[in-house]
Amino acid sequence: MKNDINKAIELLNEGNYTCVLCKGDILYTSTQRGVKPLLDWLDEKVDLKGFSAADRVVGKGAAFLYVLLGVKAVYAHVMSDEAIQILTENGIKQKCDVSVKNIINRAGTGICPMEEATREISNPKKALQAIKQRLAELKSRA
């Protein structure tokens, strides 16, 4: 595990990636922002059980998605307190450089929409539905 998480962190820091998942010699990387790569891997039914993940930012929504993906460890530059709690409660090792109360939206004007969408949710599958619904709402406004 240690080698996988270290390799994922190294690639995240050296590459132009937003998210890196590693298990042995198998790597998945993404340059997409937010929860998009996690949703894509879930939709494509990519088997990521036992992988270690390195991500730039992990909030509550992303934490639920990592639970659904079945990863065993998550590192992030920035991680919300609720994300830490969700990962820990689900037996996923977590580590971050900075923990924060809430993830802030890209405009810096409030809480991240995925944090808001999952605020009252404690079930990963319900969180997935709420995240997809919020993304659809945001897309319809764009």
Side-chain angles (χ1 to χ4, degrees):
M1 194 287 284
K2 196 112 173 117
N3 290 339
D4 289 343
I5 195 71
N6 289 342
K7 190 188 295 185
I9 292 169
E10 191 176 305
L11 281 168
L12 180 74
N13 291 331
E14 289 177 2
N16 197 25
Y17 303 115
T18 55
C19 183
V20 176
L21 281 89
C22 179
K23 182 178 178 184
D25 292 332
I26 306 168
L27 285 175
Y28 289 92
T29 60
S30 180
T31 56
Q32 297 181 87
R33 295 169 64 165
V35 296
K36 182 84 171 87
L38 307 180
L39 288 171
D40 287 349
W41 289 323
L42 277 168
D43 288 344
E44 294 164 11
K45 299 189 181 352
V46 176
D47 183 5
L48 295 172
K49 285 178 182 43
F51 275 70
S52 294
D55 204 324
R56 293 189 187 275
V57 178
V58 174
K60 186 175 181 182
F64 278 128
L65 298 179
Y66 278 121
V67 169
L68 291 171
L69 287 166
V71 301
K72 66 178 179 181
V74 177
Y75 158 84
H77 294 306
V78 178
M79 192 177 290
S80 73
D81 294 339
E82 285 191 282
I84 292 169
Q85 182 180 341
I86 287 161
L87 294 170
T88 302
E89 287 172 356
N90 285 278
I92 299 171
K93 294 180 181 182
Q94 50 71 32
K95 178 181 172 186
C96 63
D97 295 330
V98 179
S99 63
V100 295
K101 184 170 175 22
N102 293 300
I103 302 300
I104 303 302
N105 64 24
R106 291 185 189 138
T109 57
I111 294 176
C112 163
M114 299 309 116
E115 293 265 291
E116 277 184 340
T118 57
R119 179 177 282 161
E120 303 297 322
I121 296 174
S122 58
N123 176 292
K125 288 184 177 160
K126 287 184 180 172
L128 175 61
Q129 292 170 336
I131 289 166
K132 286 184 173 186
Q133 184 178 338
R134 180 60 55 93
L135 286 171
E137 290 167 7
L138 291 170
K139 202 173 195 176
S140 71
R141 286 187 220 155

